[in-house]
Amino acid sequence: MNEKLYYPNKELAKEARIKNMCEYNDLVEWAEEDYEGFWAHFAKEKIDWFEPFDEDKVLDESNFPFVKWFGGGKLNVAYQCIDRHLKTRKNKAAIIWEGDRGDKRIITYMELYKEVNRFSNLLKNEFGVKKGDRVIIYMPMIPEAAYAMLACARIGAIHSVVFGGFSAEALRDRIIDADAKVVITADGAYRKNKPYMLKPVVDTALAQDTPVEKVLVVERNNEDITWIEGRDFSYNELIQSQSGECEPEIMDSEDPLFLLYTSGSTGKPKGVQHNQAGYILWAQMTTEWVFDIKENDTYWCTADVGWITGHTYIVYGPLAMGATTVMFEGVPTYPDAGRPWKMVEEYRINQFYTAPTAIRVLHKMGEDEPKKYDLSSLKVLGTVGEPIDPPAWKWYYEVVGGGRCSIVDTYWQTETGGHIVSPLPFATPIKPACATLPLPGIFGEILDPETGERVPVGEKGYMCVTKPWPSMIRGVWGDPERFVKSYFGDVKKDGKPVYFTGDGAVYDELGYITITGRTDDVINVSGHRMGTAEIEAAIKKHPNVAEVAVVGRPHDIKGESIFAYIVLKSDEGLGDEVAQVKEINNVIKSEIGNIALCDDIAFVPGLPKTRSGKIMRRILRAIAKGEAITQDTSTLEDPSIVETIQNKVKN
Ligand code: PRX
């Protein structure tokens, strides 16, 4: 709250900064005065429509919260990302790829056009994929992952990328929920100079009945894999004979573009649905505004395409605007904590975008590493995915950015499609660990959930968006009720339900927004969003687990770590808790994946429950943090359990 403001890049005259900020204010006012006019203007300016949208149908809210944008418009997202650039940028690098072991590929817009068209033809002609079919992409960070996404977009198939770190069980759940008929994968890839495998995970996921008919395998690391005749096909072979021309499918503004599964506070992960026009519009606009990418710039986002950041800010946003986007297969700390800075020097990266966890690790492992490299090309540094703490922010600002670069702390979610709260570089004065202001066109407000009023300065409230925006989630795949309940059930403003993000936030005296973290049972581990219910369901699969409650615990590097309280059915084997912990984590590994492993497990005789049987998680959170219990425990069925658990955890 009391941090000073920073004005990076002294050379950028004060007047220019003020001008930028005035432009910001103008845009905000414009959106306030003529919301639909504002969006219609940008939709016309930014998108190459096959057929223009109807001026009377910019926003249709008649079936709120099921909204429609840009009715009557026809477009193709792959065309927007590739074809339209060929006139002016055919030889410009679209993707610069660096592999784990330092191997490199540069793909121009012309090459991207050919690759994506060949891929589209393969899916259409060899696999019979049609408009509206769901295709799962379970891939490492290789250019073919981006080709696959764009090929689906080109032929109107709905992709659902599953992060390569998810287990067979998690992959299978998503395949079944999406009712997908094709899986695109790779044999494997490399991490820290060692091969790791993906295809065997797909094999396990498909071992029981699924709707999948065909599997396409990109041969990346050429390790031995099993091929199932009639189901598995080699991309490397089939792609050879495909034509490099494929007419883009003509899509309606509101045809689905992709599903991306994400965790909520209850139940299984939900398939967040994004549609064509609104999504690509905001992906492109925010990439332009927030990263300030110029024609000759090289932009690098370190995310994985398995997450929304990879979708919007590695693939769709940068390509829609015709930028050069860097894709990286490796680990930022391998072979040492200088890897990202070496790459910045080598490719003269201008915008660098990563997660606070990565910044904390790079800081810890190589405080002075950035000084060994020429980082003078950097202009904008971004963070995303979790709250960043002021020390990490300051190191990023001073040591990596040399005090010249603007830091954009971008706040958004899978559901928002693109940034919703972020500074604009060299306009918004920035403050450590603060996402600052809603972007123009986004009516982001911190509301009191009881009254629906804006909270006063310094008071925590719920981060909401009070008007629909083009890239907002269109639905939860196959479950319209869950969509309404998950996002529009908690807060009303002027009697009308508004979109609630699930995050708490607070205003400072400038009206700046600081995100304080989730208000629900979602944990954010290293920027990865995990539902406690999901982890609990996994742990319950262990035959000796009677009850379990999972909470988050603050962690120096990861932001939060996973803490599980487990009641066992029998104490047998409890003598060896180390082995039990290992067993529990093995179950999590096979049900979800390594990203959901518990850092702490406490085997306890019972859980703190109210007389009606509700687990008091707040108490468990306080114990995990080592805090004193301030809650009233008299309503508990067995108040003495609190001390028992405390003692257990202390030991
Ligand atoms: O809690 C917020 C946190 O990440 C959640 C969204 O996670 P996901 O859908 O996986 O998308 C991650 C990439 C956008 C949010 O509900 N979060 C995201 N950005 C920030 C953040 N928390 C604080 N500051 C941020 N800049």
Side-chain angles (χ1 to χ4, degrees):
M1 267 313 231
N2 298 322
E3 296 283 352
K4 68 169 186 174
L5 290 178
Y6 287 70
Y7 298 86
N9 195 351
K10 294 263 166 20
E11 301 101 74
L12 192 72
K14 201 171 169 192
E15 290 92 282
R17 193 190 308 282
I18 292 169
K19 183 174 158 277
N20 290 346
M21 211 51 210
C22 288
E23 278 170 10
Y24 168 84
N25 289 327
D26 279 352
L27 287 167
V28 169
E29 256 173 50
W30 180 9
E32 270 165 11
E33 280 162 17
D34 178 14
Y35 193 59
E36 293 188 17
F38 170 92
W39 286 113
H41 166 87
F42 286 107
K44 271 189 254 173
E45 185 185 280
K46 303 289 178 191
I47 294 182
D48 275 25
W49 296 95
F50 295 162
E51 272 176 46
F53 57 90
D54 190 334
E55 298 275 341
D56 298 333
K57 292 190 184 152
V58 175
L59 168 62
D60 175 359
E61 283 188 88
S62 55
N63 191 23
F64 182 88
F66 300 90
V67 300
K68 291 182 182 160
W69 282 91
F70 312 121
K74 309 261 184 220
L75 75 163
N76 183 283
V77 166
Y79 182 94
Q80 175 77 8
C81 290
I82 309 169
D83 307 35
R84 73 191 195 106
H85 302 309
L86 295 182
K87 265 193 234 126
T88 51
R89 303 183 173 113
K90 67 177 186 294
N91 293 323
K92 176 175 174 173
I95 299 175
I96 296 179
W97 175 82
E98 182 164 311
D100 177 72
R101 298 176 303 169
D103 29 351
K104 297 176 178 43
R105 280 158 75 182
I106 296 179
I107 299 112
T108 65
Y109 273 94
M110 191 64 204
E111 286 163 340
L112 184 62
Y113 172 83
K114 295 282 178 197
E115 296 288 358
V116 169
N117 284 351
R118 276 197 275 269
F119 211 131
S120 304
N121 282 326
L122 189 164
L123 292 177
K124 258 189 4 185
N125 304 336
E126 310 287 337
F127 284 10
V129 177
K130 296 182 304 298
K131 180 175 173 176
D133 286 346
R134 272 81 58 208
V135 172
I136 296 282
I137 300 176
Y138 185 66
M139 290 277 267
M141 282 294 287
I142 53 177
E144 287 77 5
Y147 305 164
M149 292 163 75
L150 291 159
C152 288
R154 191 165 194 91
I155 63 174
I158 304 168
H159 63 68
S160 184
V161 184
V162 178
F163 172 59
F166 277 119
S167 69
E169 203 52 43
L171 174 62
R172 191 181 143 73
D173 280 348
R174 286 155 175 79
I175 288 170
I176 292 172
D177 192 81
D179 193 18
K181 69 182 210 186
V182 168
V183 174
I184 303 171
T185 189
D187 45 3
Y190 296 96
R191 191 185 295 123
K192 298 190 182 178
N193 205 19
K194 290 198 185 81
Y196 72 91
M197 302 305 288
L198 289 166
K199 171 66 165 51
V201 184
V202 175
D203 291 336
T204 310
L206 302 183
Q208 294 157 45
D209 213 21
T210 74
V212 170
E213 293 160 15
K214 301 240 165 20
V215 176
L216 186 65
V217 184
V218 178
E219 287 162 277
R220 156 79 181 123
N221 66 8
N222 297 308
E223 296 285 318
D224 279 345
I225 51 169
T226 313
W227 293 90
I228 293 189
E229 190 69 32
R231 187 196 76 183
D232 300 344
F233 296 85
S234 161
Y235 167 85
N236 307 49
E237 278 170 27
L238 287 185
I239 203 72
Q240 304 293 338
S241 55
Q242 305 303 322
S243 146
E245 297 297 328
C246 173
E247 275 300 303
E249 192 76 32
I250 295 171
M251 305 297 286
D252 286 339
S253 291
E254 288 293 347
D255 280 333
L257 175 64
F258 66 82
L259 308 179
L260 187 55
Y261 283 81
T262 192
S263 300
S265 38
T266 55
K268 288 198 170 187
K270 28 186 194 252
V272 170
Q273 181 185 330
H274 281 289
N275 291 358
Q276 313 275 327
Y279 171 80
I280 198 66
L281 174 65
W282 193 232
Q284 181 179 330
M285 283 174 72
T286 46
T287 310
E288 288 175 7
W289 284 355
V290 173
F291 299 113
D292 193 26
I293 303 175
K294 303 280 191 272
E295 189 61 47
N296 251 335
D297 283 354
T298 304
Y299 157 91
W300 179 19
C301 166
T302 68
D304 189 288
V305 287
W307 308 110
I308 191 69
T309 308
H311 282 59
T312 308
Y313 298 112
I314 294 178
V315 180
Y316 287 117
L319 296 176
M321 72 171 285
T324 299
T325 180
V326 174
M327 221 176 149
F328 175 50
E329 180 192 40
V331 176
T333 49
Y334 183 82
D336 56 52
R339 178 79 183 262
W341 320 129
K342 185 165 180 272
M343 282 177 63
V344 168
E345 177 180 276
E346 178 167 351
Y347 300 106
R348 299 280 187 276
I349 306 281
N350 304 101
Q351 294 83 9
F352 178 71
Y353 190 32
T354 196
T357 293
I359 298 167
R360 289 189 286 261
V361 171
L362 291 167
H363 180 191
K364 192 166 171 217
M365 290 180 61
E367 168 132 33
D368 293 322
E369 255 336 279
K371 293 180 188 152
K372 297 185 191 158
Y373 300 91
D374 176 5
L375 305 184
S376 59
S377 56
L378 287 173
K379 294 188 284 192
V380 179
L381 299 173
T383 83
V384 57
E386 49 177 326
I388 179 165
D389 45 297
W393 192 99
K394 286 177 191 166
W395 178 76
Y396 201 31
Y397 181 81
E398 274 148 21
V399 182
V400 179
R404 290 180 333 275
C405 301
S406 209
I407 294 200
V408 288
D409 178 350
T410 60
Y411 167 71
W412 60 298
Q413 319 176 284
T414 305
E415 293 87 343
T416 66
H419 304 144
I420 56 170
V421 182
S422 171
L424 291 178
F426 309 116
T428 324
I430 47 179
K431 209 172 107 164
C434 176
T436 75
L437 299 167
L439 289 168
I442 301 293
F443 283 67
E445 278 189 280
I446 311 173
L447 301 178
D448 178 330
E450 302 298 323
T451 62
E453 303 278 334
R454 261 173 98 106
V455 291
V457 173
E459 245 170 64
K460 213 166 137 180
Y462 280 24
M463 184 69 227
C464 297
V465 187
T466 58
K467 272 181 196 279
W469 66 104
S471 70
M472 86 181 215
I473 173 177
R474 288 302 193 278
V476 170
W477 187 252
D479 200 343
E481 251 173 63
R482 195 170 174 201
F483 166 64
V484 180
K485 212 168 144 230
S486 305
Y487 304 106
F488 299 91
D490 293 285
V491 191
K492 283 188 178 151
K493 189 186 175 185
D494 302 326
K496 193 183 158 202
V498 294
Y499 175 85
F500 171 45
T501 58
D503 285 301
V506 60
Y507 286 119
D508 71 4
E509 45 297 321
L510 293 168
Y512 278 15
I513 293 170
T514 295
I515 303 296
T516 53
R518 303 286 305 193
T519 62
D520 53 9
D521 291 320
V522 169
I523 314 182
N524 195 326
V525 183
S526 304
H528 298 149
R529 179 170 157 184
M530 232 99 54
T532 50
E534 211 181 318
I535 305 169
E536 287 166 4
I539 294 175
K540 277 192 196 140
K541 295 253 166 107
H542 189 287
N544 196 22
V545 170
E547 282 185 293
V548 53
V550 164
V551 297
R553 175 191 216 175
H555 187 281
D556 283 354
I557 298 290
K558 302 189 214 175
E560 273 188 294
S561 62
I562 300 170
F563 193 122
Y565 296 87
I566 296 178
V567 183
L568 293 175
K569 283 184 186 156
S570 104
D571 277 354
E572 247 171 71
L574 236 191
D576 188 0
E577 284 201 13
V578 176
Q580 291 273 1
V581 165
K582 214 168 155 198
E583 263 187 51
I584 298 286
N585 269 334
N586 277 340
V587 177
I588 297 177
K589 200 167 152 181
S590 82
E591 290 294 312
I592 307 176
N594 281 337
I595 54 169
L597 297 186
C598 296
D599 274 24
D600 299 280
I601 296 179
F603 295 104
V604 292
L607 297 171
K609 284 189 198 156
T610 59
R611 287 190 195 103
S612 58
K614 192 170 175 274
I615 297 170
M616 298 270 282
R617 283 166 190 282
R618 270 181 304 145
I619 293 179
L620 293 174
R621 269 186 225 118
I623 297 175
K625 287 183 195 163
E627 286 173 359
I629 307 294
T630 52
Q631 292 94 337
D632 175 15
T633 54
S634 64
T635 55
L636 290 181
E637 197 180 37
D638 170 17
S640 73
I641 193 75
V642 175
E643 205 183 320
T644 312
I645 298 176
Q646 271 175 319
N647 289 336
K648 178 83 205 192
V649 170
K650 263 189 222 137
N651 295 332

